[in-house]
Amino acid sequence: MNIRPSAAIRQNYNEIADMCRKTAEPIFLTKNGEGDLVVMDIETYNRREKMLKLREELLAVEEDRMHGSTGYSVGEVAAMMRSAIKEAAGHGKTE
């Protein structure tokens, strides 16, 4: 965990930005000795947001399954995939 005083962002922005990119980890900034902000590079932020969204989707699916929601068979999924591929390729009607 990398912790810096908040003044470091003003005084050493490039160093902080480089450190965020190199480590792909957030940097925690303190103000008056207390946690104040978290800084991270945009790629790390986007990756974390995608992971959180995926986890939320997986949790929702699992909750649905636990409440009795039925899924699709392998054959049904394969048919849907073939249909989507044909549609995307512009080969005419979907099944």
Side-chain angles (χ1 to χ4, degrees):
M1 183 183 312
N2 204 333
I3 301 172
R4 300 290 171 115
S6 60
I9 196 86
R10 289 188 300 272
Q11 298 167 354
N12 303 313
Y13 177 86
N14 290 333
E15 178 185 331
I16 299 282
D18 288 342
M19 189 180 310
C20 286
R21 287 186 201 96
K22 286 179 185 175
T23 64
E25 292 289 329
I27 295 178
F28 298 86
L29 300 177
T30 62
K31 185 174 183 180
N32 298 323
E34 298 288 326
D36 187 42
L37 297 172
V38 177
V39 179
M40 65 179 70
D41 70 286
I42 196 73
E43 288 181 31
T44 301
Y45 172 81
N46 287 334
R47 188 172 47 254
R48 285 177 184 242
E49 287 297 306
K50 287 177 185 177
M51 183 63 73
L52 286 173
K53 183 177 179 181
L54 176 60
R55 286 180 182 178
E56 288 174 3
E57 291 171 1
L58 290 172
L59 180 60
V61 169
E62 182 63 14
E63 287 175 348
D64 287 347
R65 187 191 65 79
M66 291 176 70
H67 290 104
S69 178
T70 58
Y72 296 99
S73 70
V74 172
E76 290 171 323
V77 171
M80 287 187 283
M81 290 174 64
R82 282 192 298 273
S83 177
I85 290 168
K86 284 181 183 179
E87 185 177 334
H91 289 122
K93 298 179 183 177
T94 60
E95 296 178 64

